[in-house]
Amino acid sequence: MQSLIDPPRIRMADSVLVRAPEKDEPGYWAGCPSVRHDGNRFLLTYRERHPRGVEPERGWRCAVAESTDGVEFRDLWEVHKDELASPSMERMSLVRQEPDGDWLAYLSYVDPADNRWRIDVLRAGDPAGFDIARRTEVFTAASTGTEGIKDPYTLVVGGSVLMYAVVSRSREFTAAERDLAHATADIHNTGLTTQPTVAAISQDGTRFDLLGEVLPTGNGWDAYESRLTCVVPTGDGYLGLYDGSASYHENYEERCGVAVSTDLTRWLKTTPTGPRYTSPHGTGSLRYVDVAVVGDEWFVYFEATRADGAHELRLARVPRP
């Protein structure tokens, strides 16, 4: 399978700031975006993070914001990690099964019961009305037979919700490894297992059937993690963008590669030797890319590292390929 389209060029120099971190220091992040355009407005989810040891530490706040121009956003809804009694939250994903139906918000966070990542869903007529107290479990480590599942990306296919998420593969641990695996509430930062992307399908947006791994880890720059973050329909199939890392030393600092598919379940990586998109600063991290296609433009949102080590949320507008 060849690349179905030539992915556009994305450069930091041609992008604009959407959300800045609280401080200009390593460990302070604003990013983890996911975006939808409902025909009238952009809906953006994002996360704010503090360094470990700075309370509230790690991913402490997630929000949904709206915009008419895709640049200037105002918050509609937010959740604090304390509302979940969680050590950290990460990516959200919005989807609407019907044009006039409810909005579904999929939120990933560390389960306080076992320190493993999980995904829940919220439902409301408008994103401003999400109620965290009425969330419903979608996936846990136990229900998926993994060491954790997080960072959902969702789209509607034939009326069903198709979800991609990154999992931490289960394997046999020694007693010492088992003690270490979830001690810090983030197995991704231990190097004890690898993190591929799985897919799942649901008729009602709540009860999902797992379809298995669809984007496995590679053999080089993406050998530790391959996290699908975005799917864009093309004339002949689908373009996927994914975060990759070679080892746990690059956890939090992933870079972006490209994959293609004709059926949404079999993905072929077209960047096996290195990432397609990087930041010119620091670690080169450019991750969590998502795209809203509006008219003849791609609105490309991403999180990128800065020269000072902080991460910020940016937007690049490029012609539709």
Side-chain angles (χ1 to χ4, degrees):
M1 185 193 306
Q2 299 297 314
S3 179
L4 302 175
I5 64 170
D6 185 25
R9 188 179 186 186
I10 301 172
R11 299 196 320 148
M12 288 275 285
D14 299 328
S15 64
V16 297
L17 179 67
V18 176
R19 285 288 187 272
E22 291 180 57
K23 292 187 178 182
D24 303 332
E25 301 173 14
Y28 286 92
W29 306 340
C32 207
S34 182
V35 66
R36 293 289 180 267
H37 189 268
D38 67 2
N40 298 302
R41 59 179 175 169
F42 294 83
L43 290 167
L44 176 74
T45 68
Y46 68 96
R47 179 187 71 152
E48 293 181 297
R49 182 190 186 272
H50 292 159
R52 285 183 182 266
V54 177
E55 293 297 336
E57 68 173 12
R58 302 180 62 194
W60 70 275
R61 177 179 178 269
C62 287
V64 181
E66 71 171 358
S67 171
T68 56
D69 64 5
V71 179
E72 299 292 335
F73 283 86
R74 71 175 187 92
D75 288 351
L76 293 175
W77 179 85
E78 66 177 12
V79 58
H80 191 290
K81 70 171 188 171
D82 288 352
E83 297 177 69
L84 300 163
S86 175
S88 188
M89 302 181 294
E90 202 147 339
R91 199 185 200 195
M92 294 181 65
S93 181
L94 293 177
V95 75
R96 203 179 198 182
Q97 282 185 269
E98 302 292 340
D100 297 319
D102 286 346
W103 283 97
L104 304 175
Y106 297 89
L107 172 64
S108 57
Y109 64 99
V110 177
D111 193 331
D114 61 6
N115 270 2
R116 292 162 168 82
W117 288 98
R118 64 178 285 162
I119 297 171
D120 288 357
V121 64
L122 308 170
R123 183 184 295 269
D126 185 84
F130 289 135
D131 182 354
I132 198 66
R134 300 180 66 183
R135 66 190 183 276
T136 301
E137 175 187 314
V138 175
F139 285 128
T140 65
S143 71
T144 56
T146 67
E147 295 297 327
I149 181 168
K150 70 183 183 82
D151 300 334
Y153 177 83
T154 52
L155 65 158
V156 175
V157 180
S160 297
V161 178
L162 178 64
M163 177 189 291
Y164 298 102
V166 66
V167 298
S168 297
R169 287 189 179 114
S170 287
R171 69 170 184 82
E172 291 295 325
F173 290 133
T174 66
E177 288 174 335
R178 174 56 64 188
D179 289 342
L180 175 63
H182 302 288
T184 64
D186 189 6
I187 193 172
H188 288 245
N189 207 34
T190 66
L192 291 174
T193 187
T194 52
Q195 336 290 332
T197 294
V198 299
I201 193 80
S202 173
Q203 299 297 315
D204 64 4
T206 301
R207 296 180 295 272
F208 281 81
D209 294 320
L210 276 172
L211 303 177
E213 289 187 18
V214 295
L215 189 72
T217 49
N219 298 312
W221 74 275
D222 56 0
Y224 185 64
E225 180 168 84
S226 291
R227 173 176 59 202
L228 193 66
T229 67
C230 175
V231 175
V232 183
T234 67
D236 299 317
Y238 303 90
L239 176 76
L241 301 176
Y242 73 95
D243 292 339
S245 59
S247 77
Y248 77 97
H249 296 292
E250 295 177 351
N251 190 46
Y252 310 141
E253 302 293 335
E254 297 87 359
R255 296 166 295 164
C256 181
V258 178
V260 293
S261 176
T262 57
D263 62 6
L264 293 170
T265 58
R266 291 172 294 180
W267 288 91
L268 174 68
K269 295 177 178 179
T270 63
T271 51
T273 60
R276 173 65 182 254
Y277 302 118
T278 61
S279 165
H281 305 299
T283 62
S285 179
L286 192 155
R287 62 183 195 158
Y288 288 117
V289 180
D290 199 4
V291 176
V293 181
V294 183
D296 293 328
E297 276 190 294
W298 279 20
F299 286 69
V300 184
Y301 297 85
F302 57 91
E303 176 185 321
T305 191
R306 310 189 316 190
D308 57 22
H311 291 195
E312 62 188 15
L313 199 167
R314 301 190 68 85
L315 162 67
R317 297 174 65 170
V318 297
R320 186 173 184 170

